Amino acid sequence: MEKIKLPNRPLGPFPAVLVGADVNGRPNYATLGACGVVSLKPVLYISLKDTHYTTLGVRENGYFSVNIPSAELVQKTDYCGMVSGHQTDKSKVFTPFYDESGKAPMIRECAMNYLCKVIQSIPVFDFTMFLGEIVAVYVNEQCLTDGKPDPLKINPLILMSPNYYDLGRVVGSVFKAGAAPNAT
């Protein structure tokens, strides 16, 4: 199989997430694909452009939410990535809810939500990477199977420029698929 060299830039696929933060007393949301797991400890990272309105709220409050939109929320998710909170009030796009700490808005319409407390911020070019300790996780009850989040029920939105995708099916199990006789 021949490999084709592409431009040096992240192309995906990435989970599309909505990051929430209160800015000037109102919920605001930014769409991004720069989010992920840092280690086996309960820590996620997000990377926000320094000029994003949401970045102000994360810095101001020290908390952010990571909301996992389903494929059915593609229009609203994309909208939050197209318009800036500097000019557009995005507080009414979704129904916010708060953990008892009240530190960052989470999105009721999203199947899964993480509330994170900033434990470190790292400047990277014109972005800031925030490492956030997960302090709360919420999942819609209908998205659970045997008490665990079911990715096919959550149906997370996947971003691979220039499109969004959804999950289609299970193709293997972690630490089991590699044990198949023809895995090597």
Side-chain angles (χ1 to χ4, degrees), residues 61-83:
N61 300 305
Y63 283 81
F64 60 89
S65 66
V66 174
N67 303 276
I68 312 298
S70 66
E72 291 78 29
L73 291 175
V74 65
Q75 188 275 330
K76 289 183 176 185
T77 301
D78 195 50
Y79 175 79
C80 285
M82 293 171 55
V83 300

Side-chain angles (χ1 to χ4, degrees), residues 132-160:
E133 178 185 2
I134 300 169
V135 295
V137 180
Y138 293 90
V139 179
N140 291 356
E141 187 174 14
Q142 67 269 23
C143 292
L144 298 174
T145 298
D146 298 326
K148 296 178 183 168
D150 184 325
L152 293 178
K153 290 179 181 178
I154 292 169
N155 195 21
L157 198 55
I158 305 300
L159 170 64
M160 188 160 179

Side-chain angles (χ1 to χ4, degrees), residues 112-123:
M112 192 165 188
N113 319 86
Y114 295 92
L115 177 63
C116 298
K117 178 182 179 180
V118 175
I119 57 173
Q120 189 174 353
S121 59
I122 304 164

Side-chain angles (χ1 to χ4, degrees), residues 20-54:
D22 279 334
V23 186
N24 297 321
R26 287 195 320 237
N28 190 74
Y29 310 104
T31 303
L32 44 124
C35 174
V37 175
V38 174
S39 70
L40 293 178
K41 300 292 183 190
V43 177
L44 296 178
Y45 80 86
I46 60 168
S47 188
L48 288 166
K49 193 163 186 153
D50 292 331
T51 57
H52 282 333
Y53 195 63
T54 305

